[in-house]
Amino acid sequence: MATATTTLPLSLPSSSRRARPARSAFVPVRAAIVEASRPVPALRGGQDYSTQQPDQSGPSTSAPVLVSRDRTQDMQAEARAMARAANASVYSPEFLSSRYGSQPFKVVARAVEVLTALGTFGFTLFLDQRRGDMDKMKRVRAIELRGILTRLGPTFVKIGQGLSTRPDLCPPEYLEELSELQDSLPTFPDAEAFECIERELGFSIDSIYSMISPSPIAAASLGQVYKARLKYSGQVVAVKVQRPGIEDAIGRDFFLLRGVGFLINKYVDFVTSDVVALIDEFARRVYQELNYVQEGQNARRFRKLYADKQDVLVPDIFWEYTSGKVLTMEWIEGVKLNQQAAIEKQGLKVLDLVNIGIQCSLRQLLEYGYFHADPHPGNILATPEGKLAFLDFGMMSETPEEARLAIIGHVVHMVNRDYEAMARDYYALDFLSRDVDVSPIVPALKSFFDDALNSTVSELNFKTIVDGLGNVLYEYPFNVPAYYALILRSLTVLEGLALYADPNFKVLAASYPYFAKRLLTDPNPYLRDALIELLFKDGKFRWNRLENLLVQGRMDQDFSAKEALQPVLKLLLGPDGEELRSLVIKEAVRVTEAIGFGAALDAYNSVPSFVKPMISNGSLNGPFKLSEGEREQMLELRDRVFRIWGLLRTSDNFDPSILQPILQVLQEPEARVLGSRVAGGITQRFAARLLQQLLRSPVSAPGQ
């Protein structure tokens, strides 16, 4: 088990290490950098940024020189970093019990400290309420709470950071003050940080960096960050160093919190979630954050999955200078996403950047399932080039594949107001055990969403849905999985950032193009069925839904007109598509009739006025014996079909070859049968219409 004072095993030769005498102070490598609370200018010193050999003039040990890298070298360097972190602790409830169960005096002392601090604060709020000073004292109390959480240490700082992204729980004054916990925490002595770097990496500071800031440029809950330049290449990097003794402090706090969780589970009836399980999940994430090699691997995986987009930036990791307690990564210049004035000064728009973040988050949550679970403003930067840079990959989470598909299906069911299907979705989302009857939940969903959906789905505020579902969750035996709580937090943070710039911003409106694109192009059977469910209702095709999906899907930069509807086409001609084929045949007949009628009407309207009475036999309503309602419906259907074709044809990546797969499948025997059935239906339809015209009867044709 690694502690802040343990020297971890290194894979480097012993000759490359040297004993260093204990020092009371450390003189930083030659660099004049301003204090942590001020902006950090570019590092000064030597101007030669080319690849260079380590300085051999002094007694310092030489750091490894890696002039150029390939994938093999990078993997070897990563393996050496993993060896340096071999003794990092892994969270488990048994680990906490074995370590802190035998320290009753320390645990009790810590419990008294926490209860005294939070109890005093709670009593102060009670007095404010009694005196009627709650509103007047909000700012003062928010500052006091930030100070209390800071003094209580990293665990409570993490809790405060979570509250800083919850406008539904905290007033604005508290949000502003708690947001200061993101990167403005007290620092620990620089000498300890530099000693940690040397102890972890096995080299002297002089041999690693040509210069390093004498003070941290940011201090987070688990560590603090320095700006430096690597000696071998001149590359500017961020060096993250873990706080000394933090593992012991966090472990003791989680031991206490688990005890509180057991009491809540046992005695607090209105809390239906497993509080201990939520605490364990949170603790597991925090312990992963304590292993900086794991964080580096998280960053590498995140970069591979999501940095393929030109507007997303993820820093590179320097494995030779990374260990369990030291992380060296590429330095990225940027502005925090909640600093609207600074962003606009660079000629950028906050909402554009938030939209990039939402699209990236949707890919994380619903496409690959691997997502950044701590996207507070301090971890997301806007670069001068307009890119969105993600930082701090200590807390990551994954969405199970079944849940990813169920979330998309849930949106479809919400749009359709199919509350029974919504209730069944909670099985796939792992909210409910399969043996729980969902029928009592349906009226509660109907009551909330019927009111909420008076607006269009895209106009719904994400917080409104979360709050409404929260009320339902409290009333029924739901067990909210940890991954879902992290998803809610992630999207709530992004919506909160957007609301600073635009109070009318809606996350769902920005998200809908992604959902539309996935439904139209994803071949997954679950999503294919969800699309069919969305487009067909009561045996009729809803062309307005298809048009809306195409309008929204085209807004997604990855939308491909060539891929749109191909999954449905394959099902249509497949062995399991008989039910769909019956619906499509009926709709094809309607569309053909509407287009034919529209063409005939256009031709009639184009002839000279004196000829029209001869064609219509003197009828003022024209040559067609149709009611006004039938006429309007057919013209509306024709116009909508033409608009849909126009949407496909005017897509950025439209290619006439989009029709090639359709032409190919039409050569299949099943398609010929389908074609003959469509032709037969059209023939019957036109025969009925012709008979109607001859008899001058308003009787509707079959199928109406």
Side-chain angles (χ1 to χ4, degrees), residues 21 92-93 204 249 269 328 596 606 626 642 671 687:
S92 70
S204 68
D269 294 334
T328 302
S606 66
L626 294 174
F642 285 168

Side-chain angles (χ1 to χ4, degrees), residues 139-170:
R139 177 68 62 181
V140 174
R141 298 302 176 228
I143 294 173
E144 288 178 359
L145 179 60
R146 174 165 59 86
I148 289 171
L149 296 178
T150 300
R151 288 191 296 274
L152 286 177
T155 308
F156 291 89
V157 167
K158 281 288 180 186
I159 294 173
Q161 288 175 346
L163 291 174
S164 75
T165 63
R166 294 298 303 270
D168 53 327
L169 298 179
C170 298

Side-chain angles (χ1 to χ4, degrees), residues 9-62:
L10 300 172
S11 61
L12 301 170
S14 59
S15 59
S16 65
R17 303 185 218 132
R18 64 186 178 88
R20 296 184 61 88
R23 294 177 294 180
S24 59
F26 181 84
V27 180
V29 178
R30 278 57 51 189
I33 305 297
V34 294
E35 294 298 320
S37 60
R38 304 175 190 169
V40 181
L43 289 167
R44 296 174 291 180
Q47 298 299 315
D48 182 8
Y49 299 161
S50 60
T51 302
Q52 53 188 288
Q53 297 295 324
D55 182 7
Q56 300 293 337
S57 58
S60 300
T61 302
S62 299

Side-chain angles (χ1 to χ4, degrees), residues 299-566:
R300 181 195 60 195
R301 182 180 176 187
F302 191 91
R303 179 189 180 102
K304 181 179 179 181
L305 291 177
Y306 308 116
D308 56 329
K309 303 301 178 186
Q310 60 181 7
D311 45 18
V312 175
L313 185 61
V314 178
D316 199 7
I317 304 298
F318 294 83
W319 293 109
E320 290 289 1
Y321 308 109
T322 294
S323 72
K325 293 181 172 62
V326 176
L327 176 64
T328 302
M329 67 177 70
E330 176 186 1
W331 178 269
I332 293 179
E333 295 288 350
V335 179
K336 288 194 295 186
L337 210 56
N338 61 350
Q339 296 179 347
Q340 184 176 351
I343 290 175
E344 292 177 347
K345 189 176 180 180
Q346 295 182 346
L348 305 174
K349 295 181 179 179
V350 174
L351 290 182
D352 290 343
L353 293 161
V354 169
N355 270 311
I356 294 172
I358 289 173
Q359 298 307 312
C360 185
S361 293
L362 290 171
R363 292 184 71 206
Q364 294 175 50
L365 301 174
L366 303 177
E367 200 162 323
Y368 296 106
Y370 184 69
F371 66 95
H372 196 301
D374 193 23
H376 64 69
N379 289 342
I380 308 177
L381 300 181
T383 71
E385 300 79 23
K387 294 185 177 183
L388 201 66
F390 287 83
L391 307 176
D392 195 349
F393 300 92
M395 186 175 288
M396 309 295 290
S397 189
E398 296 195 53
T399 312
E401 182 179 9
E402 185 181 14
R404 299 201 297 270
L405 299 175
I407 290 171
I408 298 176
H410 202 60
V411 172
V412 172
H413 297 147
M414 182 174 67
V415 172
N416 284 345
R417 304 194 185 207
D418 187 348
Y419 303 122
E420 291 184 2
M422 285 183 70
R424 290 193 298 271
D425 289 336
Y426 295 128
Y427 293 139
L429 289 169
D430 203 23
F431 277 32
L432 293 170
S433 172
R434 297 278 178 178
D435 57 0
V436 175
D437 180 16
V438 296
S439 56
I441 300 171
V442 175
L445 292 173
K446 178 178 173 59
S447 175
F448 168 68
F449 281 106
D450 273 350
D451 182 54
L453 292 175
N454 285 333
S455 303
T456 62
V457 173
S458 61
E459 292 176 347
L460 280 175
N461 189 298
F462 183 72
K463 178 179 177 296
T464 301
I465 292 181
V466 172
D467 290 346
L469 284 177
N471 293 331
V472 176
L473 297 180
Y474 281 126
E475 294 179 14
Y476 297 95
F478 284 93
N479 182 31
V480 180
Y483 77 83
Y484 189 76
L486 293 172
I487 288 175
L488 294 183
R489 181 187 180 202
S490 178
L491 292 178
T492 303
V493 168
L494 287 168
E495 185 170 63
L497 290 170
L499 291 175
Y500 279 112
D502 179 6
N504 297 316
F505 184 86
K506 303 293 186 294
V507 160
L508 285 180
S511 304
Y512 205 64
Y514 175 86
F515 283 97
K517 184 259 297 185
R518 286 289 300 276
L519 285 171
L520 288 168
T521 62
D522 199 307
N524 184 280
Y526 185 94
L527 297 185
R528 180 195 62 198
D529 293 344
L531 174 62
I532 294 171
E533 182 181 338
L534 184 66
L535 296 180
F536 285 93
K537 184 177 182 181
D538 299 330
K540 289 187 177 181
F541 190 85
R542 295 186 282 188
W543 290 94
N544 62 320
R545 288 282 174 86
L546 177 58
E547 182 180 10
N548 186 46
L549 283 174
L550 287 169
V551 169
Q552 295 291 331
R554 275 162 44 101
M555 297 179 185
D556 190 282
Q557 61 184 0
D558 295 328
F559 176 76
S560 171
K562 188 174 182 179
E563 297 176 3
L565 302 177
Q566 293 299 315

Side-chain angles (χ1 to χ4, degrees), residues 665-682:
V665 297
L666 288 178
Q667 305 302 315
E668 300 294 329
E670 295 85 352
R672 294 173 185 171
V673 173
L674 177 64
S676 64
R677 292 172 65 183
V678 171
I682 293 172

Side-chain angles (χ1 to χ4, degrees), residues 172-249:
E173 294 84 357
Y174 282 80
L175 294 177
E176 292 173 15
E177 291 301 326
L178 293 178
S179 67
E180 295 294 322
L181 293 170
Q182 310 295 3
D183 58 2
S184 299
L185 293 169
T187 63
F188 59 90
D190 299 308
E192 293 185 27
F194 295 137
E195 290 282 4
C196 179
I197 293 173
E198 294 187 329
R199 181 175 63 249
E200 287 287 306
L201 302 183
F203 300 104
S204 68
I205 291 285
D206 298 357
S207 67
I208 301 174
Y209 312 113
S210 60
M211 49 193 68
I212 186 170
S213 57
S215 300
I217 52 91
S221 54
L222 304 185
Q224 58 195 36
V225 180
Y226 295 84
K227 187 176 184 180
R229 179 178 288 123
L230 293 177
K231 194 166 188 176
Y232 80 88
S233 67
Q235 173 78 45
V236 179
V237 295
V239 184
K240 184 176 176 181
V241 186
Q242 193 172 110
R243 290 179 180 274
I246 189 172
E247 183 183 319
D248 190 59

Side-chain angles (χ1 to χ4, degrees), residues 288-302:
Q288 287 179 0
E289 286 190 78
L290 292 175
N291 184 350
Y292 285 175
V293 170
Q294 179 65 55
E295 181 175 343
Q297 292 172 328
N298 293 343
R300 181 195 60 195
R301 182 180 176 187
F302 191 91

